[in-house]
Amino acid sequence: MRRKQRFNFLYFAFILISGLLSVAWADDDMEKLKKEGEGIISVRAEFTQKKHMKILAKPLVSKGVVLFKRPKSVRWEYLEPVKSILLMDKGRVRRFIESDNGLVEDTGAGVQIMQFVLQEITFWLGGKFDQSPNFTSTLQAGRTIVLQPKTESFSQVIQRIELKLSDIPGVMDRVTIFEDKDTYTEYTFNNTKLNTAIDDSLFRNM
């Protein structure tokens, strides 16, 4: 269970990273891309997550909503089948999980893991798209970016990540995270809205 939670934390972080990179790699002119990235103030999108495993007859499906606001505010909320909320308010991270008593805050070691990974995201937010110490980024045909871990420790958890970019700057169509050849998680995004007003309280309160 603890290993599964670790995967979920990493998945969340990688999805946010991919959203930033969708702005960064829409063109091969890095300076132009950094300028475009500066124009993304907020993102609001719905997502569907499908977990594929060899032992499953069909994928496990979850749905939710993600909100992002510069510089360091995120709300990643699963609505079904189990409700949980991950909040990052100006760099501070909190996680709430559904229980018999409603949503309760998780204060375990997992929060520290999320803090570490989310700090990696702020590295990209600064426009340093090609300077991550943990991943190499390759732009391929069909507006697809492949992220590969640089270290053995990361590659034991994630084999690679494929990001499918929309034709609209700042919008992701799909993200696929491969653990191995038989296990992968796919996220598809829809109803994405850029630069809409998002109240700061949504990043602090459930």
Side-chain angles (χ1 to χ4, degrees), residues 28-45:
D28 57 7
D29 185 332
M30 184 60 73
E31 291 306 314
K32 177 182 177 182
L33 299 176
K34 290 178 181 179
K35 293 285 187 183
E36 291 178 354
E38 292 173 359
I40 304 300
I41 306 301
S42 69
V43 177
R44 181 191 299 263

Side-chain angles (χ1 to χ4, degrees), residues 19-20 23 40-45 65-70 73 75 170-172 189 192-196 198 203:
L20 299 172
V23 178
I40 304 300
I41 306 301
S42 69
V43 177
R44 181 191 299 263
V65 177
V66 59
L67 307 177
F68 165 75
K69 187 174 183 179
R70 291 177 81 88
S73 296
R75 182 185 180 101
V171 176
M172 289 295 302
F189 299 88
T192 301
K193 297 179 181 179
L194 302 178
N195 298 339
T196 60
I198 301 177
F203 304 106

Side-chain angles (χ1 to χ4, degrees), residues 30-61:
M30 184 60 73
E31 291 306 314
K32 177 182 177 182
L33 299 176
K34 290 178 181 179
K35 293 285 187 183
E36 291 178 354
E38 292 173 359
I40 304 300
I41 306 301
S42 69
V43 177
R44 181 191 299 263
E46 298 172 5
F47 68 85
T48 299
Q49 171 189 305
K50 293 183 179 181
K51 175 74 173 183
H52 298 261
M53 301 178 69
K54 190 175 183 178
I55 62 173
L56 299 177
K58 58 182 181 179
L60 300 174
V61 179

Side-chain angles (χ1 to χ4, degrees), residues 133-149:
N134 297 314
F135 297 93
T136 59
S137 305
T138 305
L139 178 60
Q140 298 187 351
R143 297 177 61 81
T144 298
I145 299 167
V146 177
L147 304 178
Q148 292 184 306

Side-chain angles (χ1 to χ4, degrees), residues 5 8-9 12 74-79 82-89 92-108 110-111 114 201-206:
Q5 288 179 335
N8 287 338
F9 301 152
F12 166 73
V74 177
R75 182 185 180 101
W76 184 270
E77 182 172 1
Y78 285 96
L79 299 175
V82 179
K83 188 174 180 63
S84 66
I85 303 173
L86 178 63
L87 302 176
M88 182 170 70
D89 177 35
R92 184 193 176 200
V93 177
R94 302 174 71 193
R95 183 172 185 246
F96 298 87
I97 307 172
E98 188 173 46
S99 70
D100 293 338
N101 298 318
L103 287 170
V104 296
E105 186 168 2
D106 176 14
T107 58
V111 176
M114 288 184 287
S201 65
L202 292 173
F203 304 106
R204 293 194 282 269
N205 306 320
M206 293 185 295

